[in-house]
Amino acid sequence: MQRERLPTSVSTLLSMRICGDMAYLLDTYAWVEYFIGSKKGEFVKGMVEDENSVIYTPECCLAELKGWAIREDVDFEELYRIVRKLSDIHCITTEDWLDAATVRSEMRKKAKDFGMMDALIVAQQRRLGCKVVSGDAHFEEVEGAVLL
């Protein structure tokens, strides 16, 4: 059975009613937008604050978020407290690493600079059966991605 490709643009999702028990995996891009309070961040905030949403954060995004906090001179411990409060942090499994190698190989046919961190995020997204939320152009070709 062929899976229906879901709408991926923010404008399309905003025009739809996002209903119960939606699961989202937020990448670093989404969290940064949330923390700076941008228009894209307001969209992320809506997802995070929806009591019917389940929010996941890949463990690998914590290092990227800390790197951003260091560069921007922002208190990472406060950001980390918020991420832990608002999402379920998912550890990277051996299965994720192995699947990421396949994902990266597949995606590099379309995007030559598709990296391993992005591949790990996609591997976790597939394992968890959720949508990945990002503004990273690398996710344009990822089924089930919500692009900010």
Side-chain angles (χ1 to χ4, degrees), residues 6-129:
L6 299 172
T8 56
S9 73
V10 171
S11 59
T12 302
L13 283 173
L14 285 174
S15 67
M16 298 171 51
R17 176 175 157 76
I18 299 175
C19 56
D21 298 317
M22 292 297 296
Y24 302 101
L25 186 130
L26 274 59
D27 81 344
T28 308
Y29 189 113
W31 278 115
V32 168
E33 294 297 325
Y34 174 83
F35 286 126
I36 66 174
S38 69
K39 190 170 187 169
K40 293 174 183 180
E42 288 297 315
F43 180 76
V44 174
K45 182 179 179 183
M47 292 174 150
V48 169
E49 292 182 355
D50 181 347
E51 64 187 37
N52 294 314
S53 292
V54 176
I55 306 298
Y56 302 119
T57 300
E59 179 184 49
C60 59
C61 291
L62 297 175
E64 292 180 323
L65 189 58
K66 184 170 185 176
W68 176 80
I70 291 167
R71 283 190 309 278
E72 299 297 319
D73 196 28
V74 176
D75 180 9
F76 173 73
E77 290 305 317
E78 179 63 14
L79 301 181
Y80 184 45
R81 184 189 65 75
I82 293 167
V83 170
R84 284 187 316 221
K85 179 180 178 187
L86 299 177
S87 72
D88 183 13
I89 297 171
H90 269 261
C91 296
I92 300 167
T93 65
T94 301
E95 177 185 349
D96 291 334
W97 280 109
L98 296 174
D99 289 345
T102 303
V103 168
R104 185 172 183 240
S105 179
E106 291 169 1
M107 295 305 293
R108 283 214 162 180
K109 293 174 185 169
K110 301 171 188 170
K112 296 292 181 198
D113 61 343
F114 196 87
M116 189 56 77
M117 289 292 238
D118 290 341
L120 279 167
I121 291 167
V122 173
Q124 281 197 328
Q125 175 221 10
R126 290 177 180 177
R127 178 170 54 87
L128 295 169

Side-chain angles (χ1 to χ4, degrees), residues 27 29 107 110-111 113-114 118 134-142 145 147-148:
D27 81 344
Y29 189 113
M107 295 305 293
K110 301 171 188 170
D113 61 343
F114 196 87
D118 290 341
S134 179
D136 185 334
H138 287 125
F139 292 97
E140 287 178 0
E141 299 294 324
V142 173
L147 297 176
L148 300 174

